[in-house]
Amino acid sequence: MKTNALAVSRRTKRQLDSYGVSGKIYHAEIDPLIAVIDLHKSFKSLEVLKGVDLYVKKGDVVVLIGPSGSGKSTLLRCINQLETIQSGDVQFEGSSIARGPVDINQMRQRIGMVFQHFNLFPHLTVLENITLGPRKLRKISQEQANALAEQLLTRVGLLDKRDAYPNQLSGGQKQRIAIARALAMAPDVMLFDEPTSALDPEMVGEVLEVMKDLAREGMTMIIVTHEMGFAREVANKVVFMADGTIQESGVPEKLFEQPKSERLISFLGKVL
Amino acid sequence: MDINAWLLDVGGFLNRYSALFIGGIRNTLILSIISGILSVLVGGGLCFLRMSRLPPLRWFANIWIEFVRGTPVLVQIMMVYYGLPLLGVHLPVPAFLGNTGERAMYGILALTINSGGYICEIIRSGIQSVDGGQMEAARSLGFGSVRSMLMIVMPQAIKNILPNFGNEFANLIKASSQVMVIGVAELMFSYNTISGTSGRAFLPLVVIALLYFIMTFIVGLGVRGLERHFKKSDR
């Protein structure tokens, strides 16, 4: 009850803020959905993230680009705490996920994640993959969950696969199901960890289409990808990472047309 | 030797000692089945300790497993039999184990300690055979670690675990022959009685070997059946 009330009040506050009536002007840098603050992450003695700051406000589509090993995926995985961090903080709606008394399982329900290798549950059908979370975590009935799943399957264009098992699907189909599975939890933000990197080239398009639809509908998204065309078209903020730090960030036009740092110029020279 | 005379001789031998053989099989099966069931429980618990976040629990499980793997079953059986009374431990004896029940209980305990260690390793490797992304996907949906394990990882791990349980059970049946040293009247123990009274050294061994083979062969059939079953559901 208490958390519900809190969520409602927070939402109302945000609404008021966005109308500018609560006295405080809504400001992305002050009131972001997700805030990553001076994040440091090491694997053993290897420091992968060396002080990263990132603010994502509601409705943002942030694309992380950069050479491999630059820490993009690690940053994404730190946001929903699949990796524990050494110092700094990750905040969701102003409350710390990384440290502090929040229930991480509750938080993760609101942060959808899509993996490079799909990670569908092979022992469950497509429908069961999608309904498992809503039924067990959001406690909605089997019928409602099925209806929700069918609606999501229609949205990703795979309703005819509802009773198939994951290993009967192509890579592109698996990834679209994985997106539907994450969406079924009605998350506030979606994280995409190189969603098209494991796909055959002819299947990349169908997955990107689904993601474009999501972006158009106003979903907050943080995407690690090597698809520069997609980044340019969909992102409202592109972040270039190298050597565990953010080197440069901004709107795609600026970042792609007028790159400032040497690293970004040479990176774009290689990938474009 | 005349083949007819030989057959008559063997037939007579089997007839005379069949009760002893059957009694031996009965006790071997009782030992194996009880310690088999217990070792699955113990092995599961041990596996839980082994993957625990608390180092002392992990150490306990690791020491157990290394001891079981690094010492002969015979030594383990004798250590339990002679060691526990020194510690003042007395095991409860169910009536169906007969008048050598207390010895049988020590045997069951030793076999459970041994087999539990191996079962733990089987469960652990079964869990590790499941791609780590499965746990991550379940956790990122919002499931806790226990529910992720039970609903997502275990149903996949069980395919690798169950056939190996069968193999371990066959091993257990064979290992149970060694509890004869503490005087449990199982199948191998009956050899002493039979060879002593019949004056034959080899013939009872052949019969006993055949009986063990039949038992483990049946278990093996079950294992292959399980493997086929899981292969089918993979398609």
Side-chain angles (χ1 to χ4, degrees), chain A residues 3-136:
Chain A
T3 53
N4 269 347
L6 215 65
V8 168
S9 78
R10 227 183 255 138
R11 201 164 298 145
T12 337
K13 179 167 114 0
R14 227 184 313 126
Q15 240 160 36
L16 291 176
D17 283 350
S18 62
Y19 297 130
V21 281
S22 70
K24 196 180 99 188
I25 295 161
Y26 185 85
H27 194 287
E29 307 297 308
I30 298 167
D31 198 8
L33 185 61
I34 287 177
V36 177
I37 301 157
D38 193 30
L39 178 65
H40 289 260
K41 164 72 190 171
S42 312
F43 292 108
K44 298 269 164 60
S45 62
L46 180 72
E47 193 171 29
V48 186
L49 296 175
K50 303 167 184 168
V52 173
D53 293 271
L54 181 69
Y55 299 92
V56 180
K57 64 176 192 294
K58 200 165 165 47
D60 268 353
V61 177
V62 177
V63 172
L64 304 176
I65 60 171
S68 58
S70 58
K72 313 178 295 284
S73 288
T74 308
L75 172 58
L76 203 66
R77 292 164 58 83
C78 284
I79 290 175
N80 73 349
Q81 290 296 293
L82 283 181
E83 304 287 353
T84 52
I85 66 174
Q86 265 73 46
S87 69
D89 203 1
V90 178
Q91 294 177 353
F92 187 81
E93 286 185 339
S95 45
S96 173
I97 309 182
R99 47 202 78 239
V102 296
D103 180 353
I104 185 61
N105 296 329
Q106 290 282 334
M107 285 297 187
R108 284 193 181 124
Q109 292 185 31
R110 304 176 57 190
I111 306 175
M113 178 97 176
V114 175
F115 298 87
Q116 180 177 0
H117 296 287
F118 331 123
N119 296 348
L120 292 179
F121 306 133
H123 60 300
L124 302 177
T125 64
V126 163
L127 196 78
E128 289 164 344
N129 261 280
I130 299 174
T131 55
L132 185 72
R135 279 195 297 120
K136 305 277 180 184

Side-chain angles (χ1 to χ4, degrees), chain A residues 196 199-210 212:
Chain A
T196 58
L199 298 179
D200 291 336
E202 77 268 23
M203 292 169 183
V204 170
E206 63 192 62
V207 172
L208 293 183
E209 269 317 308
V210 170
K212 282 177 198 167

Side-chain angles (χ1 to χ4, degrees), chain B residues 172-187:
Chain B
L172 186 57
I173 291 175
K174 290 183 284 179
S176 76
S177 68
Q178 297 178 64
V179 301
M180 71 171 284
V181 295
I182 58 171
V184 181
E186 44 70 65
L187 183 55

Side-chain angles (χ1 to χ4, degrees), chain A residues 20 25-26 88 122-123 139 146 156 164 171 175 191 198 208 218 226 233 266:
Chain A
I25 295 161
Y26 185 85
H123 60 300
K139 309 275 183 209
N146 285 355
V156 299
Q175 196 60 298
L191 312 178
L208 293 183
H226 296 290
E233 185 181 344
S266 87

